[in-house]
Amino acid sequence: MKFLIIPAALAASLLVSGCTTSSWIQAAGGVMQAKDDYDKQARHQRIRDANAAAARARRQ
């Protein structure tokens, strides 16, 4: 019985919110794009930090 309540509650909340499927997909796409952008920025920062550390080590 519990396995029917959760999907029913989810469906009801989607209907009440007034959002369409495409708006949910668009929102999910925006979240995934933001996560990808953050991961890319963090990766580039780690590379810059590693290069700076290597440059300092070469100078010493």
Side-chain angles (χ1 to χ4, degrees), residues 16-52:
V16 171
S17 71
C19 295
T20 62
T21 303
S22 62
S23 64
W24 281 99
I25 292 171
Q26 187 175 7
V31 169
M32 288 186 289
Q33 181 66 43
K35 183 184 179 318
D36 289 344
D37 290 344
Y38 175 80
D39 290 343
K40 183 178 179 181
Q41 180 183 6
R43 184 173 55 249
H44 284 292
Q45 184 63 43
R46 286 192 305 270
I47 290 170
R48 283 192 295 267
D49 292 346
N51 287 339

Side-chain angles (χ1 to χ4, degrees), residues 51-60:
N51 287 339
R56 283 193 303 271
R58 280 188 297 244
R59 282 182 268 172
Q60 290 179 353

